[in-house]
């Protein structure tokens, strides 16, 4: 299975709903809980991928738990956005971005989240790099070239590929403009952290 990695009226309604919906004062804590679950299962997956002795049964069981967590996270995250809008602090926005980044099963909602995140960036709340990652994620999901080169796909534990970019020179220019490291440095970091050390040397590279 190919696994993607890292490292309108409705729009206006969602953006302003927080001021008049009950329960939104604790939205940050709720988002943090969902984001923590999101990261925990992915960390477990990376540990398992690095283990050459891990069995297919172990990987399948983790994948099932991963799907359940992502599905429940998406359900709750959509409810939060509908009731409270996009978070109003940079910390909470970052948690929301993480959940939107992994909402691959609902591309329509992922696009809505991008619009909300874009408005938050323009308001000086959200980080431009978060928007870059989400924009690239949507482009990869739509089989379009990335603008920032943030997304990789792994077909197995030893093969990592950078999803298509439009132009490497332009990608590096855009990355520099928002404070990201060069694409070459990013690829080297991905190679160090995402490709297990027991893979054959010739395989330990970005395709």
């Amino acid at each position: 299975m190919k696994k993607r990695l890292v490292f309108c009226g409705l729009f206006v309604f969602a953006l302003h709903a927080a001021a008049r919906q009950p329960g939104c004062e604790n939205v940050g804590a709720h988002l943090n809980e969902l984001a923590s679950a999101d990261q925990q299962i992915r960390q477990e997956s990376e540990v398992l991928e690095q283990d050459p002795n891990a069995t297919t049964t172990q990987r399948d069981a983790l994948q099932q738990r991963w799907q359940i967590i992502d599905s429940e996270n998406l359900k709750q995250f959509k409810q939060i956005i509908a009731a409270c809008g996009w978070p109003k602090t940079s910390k909470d926005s970052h948690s929301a971005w993480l959940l939107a980044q992994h909402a691959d099963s609902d591309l329509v909602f992922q696009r809505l989240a991008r619009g909300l995140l874009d408005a938050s960036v323009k308001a000086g709340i959200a980080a431009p790099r978060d928007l870059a990652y989400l924009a690239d994620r949507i482009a990869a999901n739509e089989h379009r070239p990335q603008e920032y080169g943030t997304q990789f796909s792994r077909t197995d534990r030893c093969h990592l590929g950078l999803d298509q970019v439009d132009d490497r020179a332009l990608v590096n220019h855009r990355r520099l403009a928002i404070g990201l490291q060069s694409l070459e440095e990013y690829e080297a970091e991905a190679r160090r952290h995402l490709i297990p050390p027991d893979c054959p040397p010739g395989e330990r590279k970005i395709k």
Side-chain angles (χ1 to χ4, degrees):
M1 183 183 72
K2 185 176 181 181
K3 182 162 61 179
R4 181 154 293 117
L5 305 171
V6 225
F7 229 69
C8 70
L10 179 59
F11 174 90
V12 175
F13 167 78
L15 188 63
H16 295 291
R20 58 179 186 274
Q21 289 291 336
C24 293
E25 64 275 6
N26 296 320
V27 70
H30 192 179
L31 286 169
N32 185 61
E33 290 177 1
L34 299 180
S36 293
D38 173 287
Q39 290 299 281
Q40 178 64 35
I41 192 64
R42 284 164 172 79
Q43 289 167 7
E44 289 182 34
S45 177
E46 287 307 315
V47 170
L48 201 65
E49 287 292 343
Q50 297 285 332
D51 182 1
N53 299 315
T55 67
T56 299
T57 299
Q58 288 175 305
R59 291 194 173 97
D60 288 346
L62 187 141
Q63 188 65 34
Q64 289 177 3
R65 287 199 295 119
W66 187 337
Q67 291 174 350
I68 291 171
I69 288 170
D70 275 5
S71 177
E72 182 60 27
N73 275 0
L74 177 57
K75 175 183 176 182
Q76 294 189 43
F77 181 45
K78 289 170 73 172
Q79 291 171 347
I80 289 171
I81 293 300
C84 305
W86 196 261
K88 303 303 186 289
T89 69
S90 58
K91 179 182 177 180
D92 295 345
S93 175
H94 186 70
S95 293
W97 158 76
L98 187 68
L99 296 167
Q101 187 77 1
H102 296 150
D104 299 310
S105 64
D106 191 336
L107 191 52
V108 172
F109 176 74
Q110 211 170 38
R111 292 193 199 102
L112 170 64
R114 177 188 172 175
L116 295 170
L117 178 57
D118 182 46
S120 184
V121 169
K122 291 175 179 175
I125 298 171
R129 65 178 58 196
D130 286 353
L131 181 59
Y133 272 79
L134 184 55
D136 273 0
R137 187 77 167 206
I138 293 171
N141 284 336
E142 295 178 337
H143 308 292
R144 295 185 289 103
Q146 306 180 76
E147 294 184 356
Y148 295 90
T150 64
Q151 302 298 298
F152 296 93
S153 292
R154 179 155 59 196
T155 53
D156 61 50
R157 65 190 300 269
C158 290
H159 292 87
L160 188 70
L162 177 68
D163 289 338
Q164 182 186 6
V165 298
D166 57 357
D167 180 278
R168 289 184 71 93
L170 289 176
V171 166
N172 271 324
H173 179 75
R174 296 181 193 116
R175 291 177 68 90
L176 179 64
I178 60 173
L180 292 174
Q181 65 196 138
S182 72
L183 186 56
E184 292 71 27
E185 291 171 326
Y186 184 61
E187 288 177 310
E189 187 173 317
R191 184 167 56 248
R192 288 194 301 270
H193 291 285
L194 296 177
I195 301 180
D198 64 291
C199 289
E203 302 293 338
R204 300 193 75 249
K205 59 185 179 180
I206 306 297
K207 303 293 185 180

